[in-house]
Amino acid sequence: MGATLERLEATIAARRSADPETSYVAKLNAKGLKKIAQKLGEEGVETVIAALAEDDEALTGEAADLIFHLIVLLQARGLGLADVCAVLDQREGIGGLAEKAARTK
């Protein structure tokens, strides 16, 4: 699982500076952070719809799209999955309700 996400992150990073006419990642980045965030939101909604009204294949396909667009967004902000994993590591072992109550933001 980790190797797949690492390869995906590397591919997205490599395509950020490609020609927007030939690369979807470059095209999204050329449109800016607002467009990338909008696309992530759309994929989130599509994932919810698939979870509630479609089969497992549709759900996993939408989840893949969601993860892909999340990585695009993170990289647009100079972040990556390692940054997200660091936060998850910090939260590990803390109950969900206790962790949420302890957040300062």
Side-chain angles (χ1 to χ4, degrees):
M1 185 169 45
T4 300
L5 293 175
E6 287 175 10
R7 284 193 311 273
L8 179 58
E9 255 191 324
T11 299
I12 291 170
R15 293 183 181 167
R16 288 186 68 212
S17 59
D19 180 358
E21 295 297 318
T22 60
S23 168
Y24 176 69
V25 171
K27 185 175 182 176
L28 269 179
N29 278 278
K31 291 182 178 183
L33 190 60
K34 286 184 181 180
K35 182 61 177 178
I36 297 168
Q38 176 188 354
K39 188 62 183 171
L40 178 66
E42 291 171 9
E43 296 300 341
V45 170
E46 291 171 5
T47 302
V48 170
I49 291 168
L52 296 175
E54 298 181 32
D55 61 15
D56 290 350
E57 183 178 350
L59 175 56
T60 56
E62 293 300 340
D65 291 346
L66 181 63
I67 292 168
F68 172 88
H69 287 90
L70 175 60
I71 295 170
V72 172
L73 179 68
L74 288 168
Q75 287 188 6
R77 290 286 309 267
L79 300 167
L81 289 175
D83 299 293
V84 175
C85 287
V87 172
L88 292 172
D89 288 343
Q90 290 172 349
R91 293 178 181 178
E92 189 174 354
I94 302 171
L97 295 176
E99 185 278 325
K100 188 172 182 178
R103 290 186 202 171
T104 58
K105 298 182 200 181

